[in-house]
Amino acid sequence: MKKRLYLLLAILALISMSACTSTLQYNPAYEGRIQSAPGALLEGRAVIYTTEAEDNYIFTGNPTSFTGAATKISIPLGLITKEISQNGFERIFRDGAVLTRDLAAVNNYRVVVRPKVSNFSYAYNQLKNVGLLITPQTEISLSIEVLDNSQRVIHANTFSSGVKDGDSYMMSGNPTDRINRLVHEVITELVNQATSEVYYLLQNRQT
């Protein structure tokens, strides 16, 4: 009886995900908790530098799971990464952080930060819960390059999330929105890791 119930629920979940592409948006309300500086704020300000192509980067593709395999999402990873990076780095510098696509137009900064999502995938994991529930998942890598005010690279690293789970659900009228929320939260976590690393890097350079 239980097996039949699980099968029915699995079929209903698959039917609820029709073959279409869902367009997602940056939503500041979906960001996770931006951490504050672990100590006194660093002197100066940061510049979050991105190119137009990076800002306009939109991932469009299918999940890696069988569930929802016929569907696609279109999510502005470039915009989400840029906005969350500014929100994160402005918390560790006394004069905050500004966005630019043109470094020549900005002066009086301490460092330039170049953030970029270098790997992304998502899934609707139904096997994890024996077909009863669906767990939204994503895996993201965030690459960060830091330049000093002479535009020399002083640090670079890639932060990888591993597979991250969102809250499981039985049925949802908007499963892609759950992926969107999870992506925002995971990018926030990665930016928090990056800001912490950069904070201690710069603190050690000035002592």
Side-chain angles (χ1 to χ4, degrees):
M1 186 67 179
K2 285 186 177 180
K3 288 184 178 179
R4 289 182 179 178
L5 176 60
Y6 294 155
L7 179 60
L8 176 60
L9 290 171
I11 292 172
L12 290 174
L14 290 172
I15 292 173
S16 71
M17 294 181 173
S18 57
C20 62
T21 299
S22 297
T23 300
L24 308 180
Q25 306 292 336
Y26 165 64
N27 188 339
Y30 285 178
E31 292 180 14
R33 185 182 67 84
I34 301 289
Q35 68 184 16
S36 299
L41 293 176
L42 297 169
E43 294 296 330
R45 67 171 174 169
V47 173
I48 308 301
Y49 172 64
T50 53
T51 65
E52 183 177 2
E54 290 167 343
D55 289 347
N56 294 334
Y57 172 62
I58 297 174
F59 170 89
T60 300
N62 307 92
T64 57
S65 56
F66 175 73
T67 301
T71 69
K72 292 182 180 180
I73 63 169
S74 181
I75 183 168
L77 290 180
L79 176 61
I80 294 171
T81 301
K82 178 180 74 169
E83 294 293 340
I84 295 179
S85 294
Q86 182 189 26
N87 293 340
F89 278 92
E90 70 180 3
R91 297 291 188 93
I92 66 171
F93 287 91
R94 189 174 303 280
D95 297 323
V98 297
L99 299 171
T100 190
R101 292 180 182 172
D102 181 11
L103 283 179
V106 184
N107 52 36
N108 298 325
Y109 57 84
R110 182 165 178 184
V111 292
V112 174
V113 178
R114 299 206 62 188
K116 182 179 181 181
V117 168
S118 52
N119 180 60
F120 172 75
S121 65
Y122 72 102
Y124 305 100
N125 190 328
Q126 199 166 5
L127 298 176
K128 181 175 182 177
N129 303 289
V130 201
L132 182 61
L133 300 174
I134 297 172
T135 302
Q137 295 180 320
T138 191
E139 184 169 7
I140 303 173
S141 294
L142 176 71
S143 296
I144 296 286
E145 192 174 67
V146 182
L147 295 75
D148 63 17
N149 54 16
S150 299
Q151 299 184 26
R152 295 175 300 181
V153 176
I154 59 174
H155 186 66
N157 199 3
T158 297
F159 303 86
S160 298
S161 69
V163 176
K164 291 285 190 176
D165 293 346
D167 294 332
S168 299
Y169 59 94
M170 183 169 292
M171 293 294 291
S172 172
N174 194 359
T176 57
D177 191 60
R178 292 174 180 268
I179 293 293
N180 195 23
R181 181 184 293 274
L182 180 61
V183 168
H184 280 67
E185 291 173 351
V186 172
I187 290 179
T188 301
E189 289 180 13
L190 297 176
V191 168
N192 282 339
Q193 294 176 34
T195 59
S196 179
E197 186 168 279
V198 171
Y199 178 89
Y200 288 113
L201 169 74
L202 296 180
Q203 189 180 59
N204 290 335
R205 285 172 65 91
Q206 69 183 11
T207 57

